[in-house]
């Protein structure tokens, strides 16, 4: 167990340091009026397509009420549109606006540049191993 704890400490520290550096370099989100979590939310909406707020909350593993403030800000920024579900009046459907799609495309491009720069220190073999191992850590219920 001590061996795992030692690795957990090393991995945790490496992840924290890397995330801090990457976050600083990904400040471009702010240039587009987005925070990191808002960028993540736009990505999720783009991936899901028009979807219920409850589905987004489920995918983010939070309560629907926890997504409300973020969705309010994204709607105020003109990035998303919220509409009542025609089949279930209790449900709200969220979709990206043209502005949301455009800003997501730009922010994704910049994000990928930063991530590519960080990953460029790895050889092709290391990249493959790193990716496979990182994907292995995804809990089964979250994989899709």
């Amino acid at each position: 167990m001590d061996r795992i704890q030692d690795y957990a400490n090393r991995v945790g520290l490496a992840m924290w340091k890397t995330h801090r550096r990457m976050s600083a370099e990904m400040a471009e989100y702010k240039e587009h009026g987005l925070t990191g979590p808002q960028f993540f939310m736009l990505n999720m909406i783009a991936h899901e397509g028009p979807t219920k707020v409850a589905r987004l909350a489920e995918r983010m593993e939070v309560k629907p009420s926890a997504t409300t403030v973020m969705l309010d800000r994204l709607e105020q920024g003109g990035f998303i549109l919220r509409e009542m579900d025609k089949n279930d009046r209790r449900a709200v459907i969220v979709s990206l606006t043209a502005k949301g799609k455009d800003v997501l495309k730009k922010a994704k491009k910049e994000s990928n540049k930063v991530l590519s720069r960080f990953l460029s220190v790895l050889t092709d073999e290391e990249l493959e191993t790193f990716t496979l191992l990182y994907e292995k850590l995804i809990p089964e219920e979250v994989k899709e």
Side-chain angles (χ1 to χ4, degrees), residues 26 29 35 42-43 45 47-48 52 54 56 66 74 77 79 81 95 107 118 130 137 141:
M26 289 185 180
Y29 300 144
T35 64
L42 287 182
N43 252 318
I45 296 167
H47 176 75
E48 294 285 325
K52 293 180 182 181
L56 291 173
L74 290 171
F79 302 119
L81 180 65
S95 59
F118 273 78
F130 175 80
L137 296 176
E141 64 274 6

Side-chain angles (χ1 to χ4, degrees), residues 29 34-44 104 107-108 111:
Y29 300 144
L34 296 176
T35 64
Q38 288 171 333
F39 171 72
F40 178 71
M41 177 73 83
L42 287 182
N43 252 318
M44 193 173 300
L104 178 61
K108 232 181 199 181
S111 172

Side-chain angles (χ1 to χ4, degrees), residues 22-35:
M22 288 178 80
S23 292
E25 291 190 33
M26 289 185 180
E28 294 90 5
Y29 300 144
K30 290 185 173 125
E31 182 180 305
H32 297 294
L34 296 176
T35 64

Side-chain angles (χ1 to χ4, degrees), residues 52-67:
K52 293 180 182 181
V53 172
R55 172 71 176 152
L56 291 173
E58 178 185 306
R59 297 270 291 137
M60 293 179 74
E61 300 179 10
V62 297
K63 292 181 180 178
S65 59
T67 62

Side-chain angles (χ1 to χ4, degrees), residues 81-133:
L81 180 65
R82 285 192 276 199
E83 300 175 293
M84 298 304 292
D85 186 339
K86 291 174 181 66
N87 300 319
D88 180 357
R89 299 181 83 187
R90 298 166 297 164
V92 175
I93 302 292
V94 180
S95 59
L96 294 180
T97 62
K99 180 180 179 181
K101 289 175 186 175
D102 183 55
V103 81
L104 178 61
K105 183 179 177 181
K106 290 175 184 172
K108 232 181 199 181
K109 186 177 180 180
E110 293 165 5
S111 172
N112 284 339
K113 274 195 248 179
V114 172
L115 188 54
S116 294
R117 196 167 52 254
F118 273 78
L119 293 174
S120 69
V121 301
L122 302 175
T123 66
D124 287 348
E125 186 177 312
E126 289 169 333
L127 270 171
E128 180 66 20
T129 301
F130 175 80
T131 303
L132 289 171
L133 292 173

